[in-house]
Amino acid sequence: MPSLTRGRRPARKSDDERRAEFEQRVLRAVEDLLADGTPYTEIAVQKIAATAEVARSTFYRYFPDKSRLLIRMAELATSDLFAAAERWWSAEHTDREVGVRNAMSAMIAGFRRHRYLLLALSELASYDRDVGAYWRGRVAGFVELVRHRLEADRAAGRVAPELDPAATALVLAAMVERSISTAFAVRTGISDAELARTLGRSIWLVVYGDAPAGPA
């Protein structure tokens, strides 16, 4: 007869759960190693595996090279960062600058949490083919979201008819990306709150600053 006092065995973790835990350990290890100023290209796989306390064989099973590693780490680090902006562009814009300022605050907070990794991503994207292709594709997807929203707003008469959705979407995405990256790459003396307020105001004025007057 089975013992009534014997504890139940904990449920075995699924492959997805084990992978998620593994990736989070590697993400923390990479960010810890980058935090001391070591360039990403100079961090050896052996060092990453040792810091994450994983076997090199396990590491290579998930990440065949450091480019793929950086891409996956960037996917994890930017998921919330992009989601904040995407939610605002998909929502009703009835609160003037408040909503976009809050979205910028969330993006900046996400960048601050993962700043070392995202600065490394920005650097490698300029010369690593795979990393560059990933990042350009990610930004391009966001630009398309903004373009579609601006097209809908123009069709509904919510923005000036002269506004070009494609060009405006590209300019706004580049402005936000470069502004946040520059603010974290050098000491500007600008607070996160002020950066969010200024970006939010800039976006609002570009999109709605010359919008047609509403009904009296």
Side-chain angles (χ1 to χ4, degrees):
M1 179 177 180
S3 172
L4 298 178
T5 60
R6 183 182 301 166
R8 292 183 178 180
R9 291 183 179 180
R12 295 186 61 183
K13 294 179 180 178
S14 68
D15 290 343
D16 288 344
E17 288 174 325
R18 286 195 295 271
R19 182 185 181 103
E21 288 183 1
F22 171 80
E23 289 179 338
Q24 287 298 324
R25 290 172 66 180
V26 174
L27 174 60
R28 288 192 296 270
V30 171
E31 292 187 321
D32 287 346
L33 292 169
L34 288 170
D36 67 3
T38 304
Y40 182 76
T41 53
E42 297 180 13
I43 300 176
V45 167
Q46 183 176 356
K47 184 69 172 178
I48 297 172
T51 303
E53 298 182 339
V54 299
R56 287 185 64 183
S57 57
T58 304
F59 180 94
Y60 281 118
R61 188 189 317 153
Y62 290 101
F63 307 115
D65 55 54
K66 285 173 61 180
S67 292
R68 294 305 309 170
L69 167 64
L70 184 59
I71 289 170
R72 180 55 184 156
M73 295 300 99
E75 289 174 342
L76 296 174
T78 61
S79 59
D80 292 341
L81 185 149
F82 273 99
E86 289 167 351
R87 281 194 299 271
W88 183 77
W89 281 107
S90 301
E92 292 296 325
H93 296 168
T94 57
D95 51 3
R96 293 188 61 79
E97 298 172 30
V98 176
V100 66
R101 184 174 69 239
N102 290 342
M104 292 299 101
S105 293
M107 288 193 74
I108 292 166
F111 201 105
R112 180 168 290 285
R113 284 194 300 273
H114 302 291
R115 59 192 179 278
Y116 302 114
L117 178 73
L118 296 178
L119 288 173
L121 173 71
S122 179
E123 177 189 352
L124 264 70
S126 64
Y127 58 82
D128 184 292
R129 183 178 61 183
D130 292 337
V131 175
Y134 158 74
W135 189 238
R136 287 190 297 272
R138 185 65 181 91
V139 173
F142 180 73
V143 170
E144 278 298 289
L145 171 71
V146 177
R147 180 179 68 82
H148 285 302
R149 173 56 186 266
L150 294 177
E151 287 176 345
D153 277 355
R154 190 174 66 173
R158 290 188 289 264
V159 301
E162 297 82 11
L163 182 145
D164 183 283
T168 302
L170 179 64
V171 167
L172 292 178
M175 177 183 72
V176 172
E177 179 193 9
R178 294 314 306 159
S179 295
I180 296 177
S181 295
T182 300
F184 281 89
V186 298
R187 293 184 180 276
T188 63
I190 300 171
S191 69
D192 290 0
E194 183 57 32
L195 181 60
R197 189 189 73 81
T198 302
L199 281 172
R201 177 171 172 75
S202 299
I203 293 169
W204 186 268
L205 291 176
V206 167
V207 176
Y208 299 112
D210 58 353

